Short mmCIF file of all heavy atoms in Angstrom, two decimals:
data_model
loop_
_atom_site.label_atom_id
_atom_site.label_comp_id
_atom_site.label_asym_id
_atom_site.label_seq_id
_atom_site.Cartn_x
_atom_site.Cartn_y
_atom_site.Cartn_z
N ASP A 163 0.86 -1.18 0.00
CA ASP A 163 0.00 0.00 0.00
C ASP A 163 0.90 1.23 0.00
O ASP A 163 1.25 1.78 1.03
CB ASP A 163 -0.90 -0.01 1.23
CG ASP A 163 -1.94 1.10 1.21
OD1 ASP A 163 -1.82 2.02 0.37
OD2 ASP A 163 -2.87 1.06 2.04
N TYR A 164 1.29 1.67 -1.20
CA TYR A 164 2.29 2.72 -1.31
C TYR A 164 1.80 4.07 -0.81
O TYR A 164 2.62 4.95 -0.52
CB TYR A 164 2.77 2.82 -2.76
CG TYR A 164 3.60 1.65 -3.20
CD1 TYR A 164 3.25 0.91 -4.33
CD2 TYR A 164 4.74 1.28 -2.50
CE1 TYR A 164 4.03 -0.17 -4.74
CE2 TYR A 164 5.51 0.20 -2.90
CZ TYR A 164 5.15 -0.52 -4.03
OH TYR A 164 5.91 -1.59 -4.42
N GLY A 165 0.50 4.26 -0.72
CA GLY A 165 0.01 5.49 -0.12
C GLY A 165 0.46 5.61 1.33
O GLY A 165 0.76 6.72 1.81
N VAL A 166 0.53 4.49 2.03
CA VAL A 166 1.05 4.47 3.41
C VAL A 166 2.57 4.56 3.39
O VAL A 166 3.18 5.32 4.15
CB VAL A 166 0.59 3.18 4.13
CG1 VAL A 166 1.25 3.07 5.50
CG2 VAL A 166 -0.93 3.16 4.26
N TRP A 167 3.21 3.80 2.51
CA TRP A 167 4.67 3.79 2.42
C TRP A 167 5.23 5.17 2.10
O TRP A 167 6.32 5.54 2.57
CB TRP A 167 5.12 2.82 1.33
CG TRP A 167 5.00 1.37 1.66
CD1 TRP A 167 3.92 0.72 2.16
CD2 TRP A 167 6.01 0.36 1.48
NE1 TRP A 167 4.18 -0.63 2.29
CE2 TRP A 167 5.45 -0.87 1.88
CE3 TRP A 167 7.30 0.39 1.00
CZ2 TRP A 167 6.17 -2.06 1.84
CZ3 TRP A 167 8.02 -0.79 0.94
CH2 TRP A 167 7.46 -2.01 1.36
N ALA A 168 4.51 5.96 1.29
CA ALA A 168 5.03 7.25 0.85
C ALA A 168 5.32 8.19 2.01
O ALA A 168 6.17 9.07 1.90
CB ALA A 168 4.05 7.90 -0.13
N ARG A 169 4.63 7.99 3.12
CA ARG A 169 4.86 8.84 4.30
C ARG A 169 6.14 8.46 5.04
O ARG A 169 6.55 9.17 5.95
CB ARG A 169 3.65 8.76 5.24
CG ARG A 169 2.36 9.25 4.62
CD ARG A 169 1.26 9.43 5.65
NE ARG A 169 0.76 8.17 6.18
CZ ARG A 169 -0.27 7.50 5.67
NH1 ARG A 169 -0.89 7.96 4.59
NH2 ARG A 169 -0.70 6.37 6.20
N GLU A 170 6.74 7.35 4.66
CA GLU A 170 7.90 6.84 5.39
C GLU A 170 9.22 6.98 4.61
O GLU A 170 10.26 6.60 5.14
CB GLU A 170 7.67 5.35 5.74
CG GLU A 170 6.39 5.07 6.50
CD GLU A 170 6.35 5.71 7.87
OE1 GLU A 170 7.41 6.16 8.35
OE2 GLU A 170 5.26 5.78 8.47
N VAL A 171 9.18 7.47 3.39
CA VAL A 171 10.40 7.67 2.62
C VAL A 171 10.70 9.15 2.54
O VAL A 171 9.80 9.99 2.58
CB VAL A 171 10.28 7.07 1.20
CG1 VAL A 171 10.11 5.56 1.27
CG2 VAL A 171 9.13 7.70 0.42
N ASP A 172 11.98 9.48 2.42
CA ASP A 172 12.37 10.88 2.33
C ASP A 172 12.22 11.42 0.91
O ASP A 172 12.00 12.61 0.71
CB ASP A 172 13.81 11.05 2.82
CG ASP A 172 13.96 10.65 4.27
OD1 ASP A 172 13.10 11.04 5.08
OD2 ASP A 172 14.91 9.91 4.60
N ILE A 173 12.34 10.55 -0.07
CA ILE A 173 12.05 10.87 -1.46
C ILE A 173 11.19 9.74 -2.01
O ILE A 173 11.60 8.57 -1.95
CB ILE A 173 13.34 11.01 -2.30
CG1 ILE A 173 14.20 12.17 -1.80
CG2 ILE A 173 13.01 11.19 -3.77
CD1 ILE A 173 15.55 12.26 -2.48
N VAL A 174 10.02 10.05 -2.51
CA VAL A 174 9.20 9.04 -3.15
C VAL A 174 9.85 8.66 -4.48
O VAL A 174 10.19 9.53 -5.29
CB VAL A 174 7.77 9.55 -3.38
CG1 VAL A 174 6.95 8.54 -4.19
CG2 VAL A 174 7.08 9.82 -2.04
N ALA A 175 10.07 7.36 -4.69
CA ALA A 175 10.74 6.88 -5.90
C ALA A 175 9.93 5.73 -6.49
O ALA A 175 9.34 4.94 -5.76
CB ALA A 175 12.16 6.42 -5.58
N ASN A 176 9.95 5.64 -7.81
CA ASN A 176 9.12 4.63 -8.47
C ASN A 176 9.84 3.98 -9.62
O ASN A 176 10.67 4.58 -10.29
CB ASN A 176 7.83 5.28 -9.00
CG ASN A 176 6.79 4.26 -9.41
OD1 ASN A 176 6.48 3.36 -8.63
ND2 ASN A 176 6.24 4.38 -10.60
N ASP A 177 9.50 2.70 -9.86
CA ASP A 177 9.89 1.98 -11.07
C ASP A 177 8.66 1.85 -11.95
O ASP A 177 7.57 1.48 -11.47
CB ASP A 177 10.40 0.57 -10.74
CG ASP A 177 11.68 0.59 -9.93
OD1 ASP A 177 12.25 1.68 -9.70
OD2 ASP A 177 12.11 -0.50 -9.50
N HIS A 178 8.80 2.15 -13.24
CA HIS A 178 7.66 2.02 -14.14
C HIS A 178 8.12 1.46 -15.48
O HIS A 178 9.05 1.98 -16.09
CB HIS A 178 6.95 3.35 -14.37
CG HIS A 178 5.69 3.18 -15.16
ND1 HIS A 178 5.68 3.15 -16.55
CD2 HIS A 178 4.40 2.97 -14.78
CE1 HIS A 178 4.45 2.93 -16.96
NE2 HIS A 178 3.65 2.83 -15.91
N TYR A 179 7.43 0.40 -15.92
CA TYR A 179 7.72 -0.21 -17.22
C TYR A 179 6.43 -0.31 -18.03
O TYR A 179 5.39 -0.71 -17.49
CB TYR A 179 8.34 -1.60 -17.03
CG TYR A 179 9.70 -1.55 -16.40
CD1 TYR A 179 9.88 -1.72 -15.03
CD2 TYR A 179 10.83 -1.27 -17.18
CE1 TYR A 179 11.13 -1.63 -14.45
CE2 TYR A 179 12.09 -1.19 -16.61
CZ TYR A 179 12.23 -1.37 -15.25
OH TYR A 179 13.48 -1.27 -14.67
N THR A 180 6.49 0.08 -19.27
CA THR A 180 5.31 0.00 -20.13
C THR A 180 5.14 -1.42 -20.68
O THR A 180 6.07 -2.21 -20.69
CB THR A 180 5.43 0.99 -21.31
OG1 THR A 180 6.65 0.73 -22.02
CG2 THR A 180 5.44 2.42 -20.81
N ILE A 181 3.94 -1.72 -21.13
CA ILE A 181 3.60 -3.04 -21.66
C ILE A 181 3.59 -2.96 -23.18
O ILE A 181 2.74 -2.29 -23.78
CB ILE A 181 2.23 -3.50 -21.13
CG1 ILE A 181 2.22 -3.47 -19.60
CG2 ILE A 181 1.91 -4.90 -21.66
CD1 ILE A 181 3.26 -4.35 -18.95
N ALA A 182 4.53 -3.65 -23.80
CA ALA A 182 4.73 -3.53 -25.25
C ALA A 182 3.48 -3.88 -26.04
O ALA A 182 3.23 -3.29 -27.10
CB ALA A 182 5.91 -4.40 -25.67
N ALA A 183 2.68 -4.84 -25.56
CA ALA A 183 1.51 -5.29 -26.31
C ALA A 183 0.36 -4.29 -26.26
O ALA A 183 -0.61 -4.43 -27.01
CB ALA A 183 1.04 -6.64 -25.77
N ASP A 184 0.45 -3.29 -25.41
CA ASP A 184 -0.61 -2.28 -25.27
C ASP A 184 -0.32 -1.13 -26.22
O ASP A 184 0.65 -0.39 -26.04
CB ASP A 184 -0.64 -1.78 -23.82
CG ASP A 184 -1.76 -0.77 -23.59
OD1 ASP A 184 -2.45 -0.39 -24.55
OD2 ASP A 184 -1.92 -0.33 -22.42
N PRO A 185 -1.14 -0.93 -27.26
CA PRO A 185 -0.85 0.14 -28.22
C PRO A 185 -0.95 1.54 -27.60
O PRO A 185 -0.40 2.49 -28.16
CB PRO A 185 -1.90 -0.07 -29.32
CG PRO A 185 -3.01 -0.82 -28.65
CD PRO A 185 -2.35 -1.68 -27.62
N ARG A 186 -1.64 1.67 -26.48
CA ARG A 186 -1.75 2.96 -25.78
C ARG A 186 -1.10 2.86 -24.40
O ARG A 186 -1.66 3.26 -23.39
CB ARG A 186 -3.21 3.40 -25.69
CG ARG A 186 -3.78 3.79 -27.05
CD ARG A 186 -5.20 4.30 -26.99
NE ARG A 186 -5.41 5.38 -26.05
CZ ARG A 186 -5.00 6.65 -26.24
NH1 ARG A 186 -4.35 6.97 -27.36
NH2 ARG A 186 -5.24 7.57 -25.35
N ARG A 187 0.11 2.31 -24.40
CA ARG A 187 0.80 2.06 -23.13
C ARG A 187 1.15 3.34 -22.38
O ARG A 187 1.35 3.31 -21.17
CB ARG A 187 2.05 1.21 -23.36
CG ARG A 187 2.93 1.66 -24.50
CD ARG A 187 3.92 0.57 -24.89
NE ARG A 187 4.65 0.87 -26.12
CZ ARG A 187 4.22 0.55 -27.33
NH1 ARG A 187 3.07 -0.09 -27.47
NH2 ARG A 187 4.94 0.84 -28.40
N HIS A 188 1.22 4.46 -23.09
CA HIS A 188 1.49 5.73 -22.41
C HIS A 188 0.36 6.12 -21.48
O HIS A 188 0.55 6.94 -20.58
CB HIS A 188 1.73 6.84 -23.44
CG HIS A 188 0.54 7.11 -24.31
ND1 HIS A 188 0.30 6.41 -25.47
CD2 HIS A 188 -0.46 8.01 -24.19
CE1 HIS A 188 -0.81 6.87 -26.03
NE2 HIS A 188 -1.30 7.83 -25.27
N VAL A 189 -0.84 5.55 -21.69
CA VAL A 189 -1.98 5.87 -20.82
C VAL A 189 -1.70 5.40 -19.39
O VAL A 189 -1.94 6.13 -18.42
CB VAL A 189 -3.27 5.23 -21.37
CG1 VAL A 189 -4.41 5.38 -20.37
CG2 VAL A 189 -3.63 5.86 -22.70
N ASP A 190 -1.20 4.17 -19.26
CA ASP A 190 -0.87 3.69 -17.92
C ASP A 190 0.27 4.49 -17.32
O ASP A 190 0.27 4.76 -16.11
CB ASP A 190 -0.49 2.21 -17.94
CG ASP A 190 -0.06 1.72 -16.56
OD1 ASP A 190 -0.94 1.59 -15.70
OD2 ASP A 190 1.15 1.53 -16.35
N LEU A 191 1.24 4.88 -18.14
CA LEU A 191 2.35 5.69 -17.63
C LEU A 191 1.83 6.98 -16.99
O LEU A 191 2.20 7.32 -15.87
CB LEU A 191 3.32 6.01 -18.77
CG LEU A 191 4.65 6.70 -18.42
CD1 LEU A 191 5.67 6.46 -19.53
CD2 LEU A 191 4.50 8.18 -18.19
N SER A 192 0.95 7.69 -17.69
CA SER A 192 0.42 8.95 -17.17
C SER A 192 -0.42 8.73 -15.92
O SER A 192 -0.31 9.48 -14.94
CB SER A 192 -0.41 9.65 -18.24
OG SER A 192 0.38 9.97 -19.37
N PHE A 193 -1.25 7.69 -15.95
CA PHE A 193 -2.09 7.38 -14.79
C PHE A 193 -1.22 7.03 -13.58
O PHE A 193 -1.45 7.53 -12.47
CB PHE A 193 -3.02 6.22 -15.13
CG PHE A 193 -3.96 5.84 -14.02
CD1 PHE A 193 -5.10 6.58 -13.78
CD2 PHE A 193 -3.72 4.72 -13.22
CE1 PHE A 193 -5.98 6.23 -12.74
CE2 PHE A 193 -4.58 4.37 -12.20
CZ PHE A 193 -5.72 5.13 -11.96
N SER A 194 -0.20 6.19 -13.78
CA SER A 194 0.67 5.79 -12.68
C SER A 194 1.46 6.98 -12.14
O SER A 194 1.63 7.12 -10.92
CB SER A 194 1.63 4.69 -13.14
OG SER A 194 0.92 3.53 -13.54
N ALA A 195 1.95 7.84 -13.03
CA ALA A 195 2.71 9.01 -12.58
C ALA A 195 1.83 9.95 -11.78
O ALA A 195 2.28 10.54 -10.78
CB ALA A 195 3.30 9.73 -13.78
N ASP A 196 0.57 10.11 -12.18
CA ASP A 196 -0.33 10.96 -11.41
C ASP A 196 -0.68 10.33 -10.07
O ASP A 196 -0.87 11.04 -9.07
CB ASP A 196 -1.60 11.25 -12.21
CG ASP A 196 -1.40 12.37 -13.22
OD1 ASP A 196 -0.33 13.00 -13.21
OD2 ASP A 196 -2.31 12.61 -14.03
N ARG A 197 -0.79 9.00 -10.03
CA ARG A 197 -0.97 8.33 -8.74
C ARG A 197 0.20 8.63 -7.81
O ARG A 197 0.03 8.93 -6.63
CB ARG A 197 -1.09 6.82 -8.92
CG ARG A 197 -2.46 6.31 -9.33
CD ARG A 197 -2.48 4.79 -9.33
NE ARG A 197 -2.27 4.25 -8.00
CZ ARG A 197 -1.83 3.03 -7.73
NH1 ARG A 197 -1.51 2.22 -8.73
NH2 ARG A 197 -1.69 2.62 -6.49
N LEU A 198 1.40 8.54 -8.38
CA LEU A 198 2.59 8.76 -7.57
C LEU A 198 2.65 10.19 -7.06
O LEU A 198 3.04 10.45 -5.93
CB LEU A 198 3.84 8.42 -8.38
CG LEU A 198 5.03 8.00 -7.53
CD1 LEU A 198 4.82 6.61 -6.96
CD2 LEU A 198 6.32 8.07 -8.30
N ARG A 199 2.28 11.15 -7.94
CA ARG A 199 2.28 12.55 -7.51
C ARG A 199 1.32 12.76 -6.34
O ARG A 199 1.62 13.53 -5.41
CB ARG A 199 1.89 13.46 -8.68
CG ARG A 199 1.99 14.94 -8.33
CD ARG A 199 1.71 15.85 -9.51
NE ARG A 199 0.30 15.92 -9.86
CZ ARG A 199 -0.25 15.41 -10.94
NH1 ARG A 199 0.49 14.75 -11.81
NH2 ARG A 199 -1.54 15.54 -11.18
#
């Protein structure tokens, strides 16, 4: 539950990999980045 974890790190850091088979894989990238923000 990274929403809880985020309060315990000094810098929030993320790994993100796109899914090659998804022709609109940038959609998940944007959604995930906004979740992280």
